[in-house]
Amino acid sequence: APKARAPSKSARALQQITVARSLKAFVAAVSRVEDVNRLAQMHPDWLRRLVINDCWNGWRYQHNRLNKDKLEVLLDAGLDVDTPGLLFTAVWGSASCLSLLLQRGADPLGDRARTPNERNLEQCPFVAAAEERGTVEQLRELKKALERHPKYAHRAKEEWRDAIERIHENLLEMSGRRKYVKEKKWLRDEILQYVDKGYAVCP
């Protein structure tokens, strides 16, 4: 029997991952690479596009299951679940990829976790989820991930409260003071009350 090909460190082997179309070809390409984490250095834009799972076809957004399956293959091959930018991009791009990353133990604070003492509103996944009007489920998943993540479980309530403060701060910056009260009410009525009972609106 022919010897199995040893995993490669070459840039060409990594490139083959990015151009593989079918899942079968993708799995084969991944198996030939020694360290899939090099994708984050060599092909960061491709990696982020992978978790933008829904594409506009001119009429509506279509769900692309293949990208989620590819992400799962990469995670199984050792891709760091906390690869910079991955979780944040998934918030904007794909509910299924976001769920997968959180299920695999991704830090729900994403890139912001690396610099917790800085403001970094633009790096907060919770802020991104609140900006995406209608993404109640994604914000709920992030909150649940806070509650079960070993790093935050003991202080999940405090982290959630801090996340809400960042959401409100971002809302103020985006809407301005004149519209802030109205936008804050919308946020509570349309998103937060469905994520946290403490924000429930009395009928």
Side-chain angles (χ1 to χ4, degrees), residues 126-176:
F126 290 85
V127 170
E131 282 183 354
E132 278 285 275
R133 297 193 169 209
T135 54
V136 172
E137 189 57 40
Q138 280 155 293
L139 199 57
R140 187 184 291 133
E141 281 207 55
L142 287 166
K143 181 175 181 288
K144 287 180 179 177
L146 268 182
E147 294 165 351
R148 67 173 181 263
H149 197 285
K151 187 175 174 182
Y152 305 113
H154 66 288
R155 62 175 198 269
K157 287 183 180 179
E158 291 82 358
E159 290 290 349
W160 170 241
R161 188 165 57 243
D162 288 347
I164 295 295
E165 287 181 8
R166 290 194 297 276
I167 290 171
H168 283 154
E169 187 178 349
N170 184 67
L171 195 63
L172 177 60
E173 282 192 2
M174 291 182 64
S175 62

Side-chain angles (χ1 to χ4, degrees), residues 27-50:
V27 170
V30 169
S31 71
R32 298 188 197 107
V33 171
E34 185 175 78
D35 182 10
V36 293
N37 285 294
R38 291 180 63 224
L39 286 165
Q41 288 82 47
M42 306 271 303
H43 301 283
D45 291 339
W46 175 86
L47 197 54
R48 286 175 184 146
R49 284 198 302 272
L50 188 69

Side-chain angles (χ1 to χ4, degrees), residues 12-13 17 33 42 44 59 71 78-79 83 87 94 119 141 143 159 165-166 178 186 202-203:
R12 187 170 183 274
I17 293 177
V33 171
M42 306 271 303
W59 295 96
L71 176 61
L79 180 70
T83 295
L87 186 79
S94 168
R119 198 158 161 269
E141 281 207 55
K143 181 175 181 288
E159 290 290 349
E165 287 181 8
R166 290 194 297 276
R178 292 180 63 186
W186 180 91
C202 296

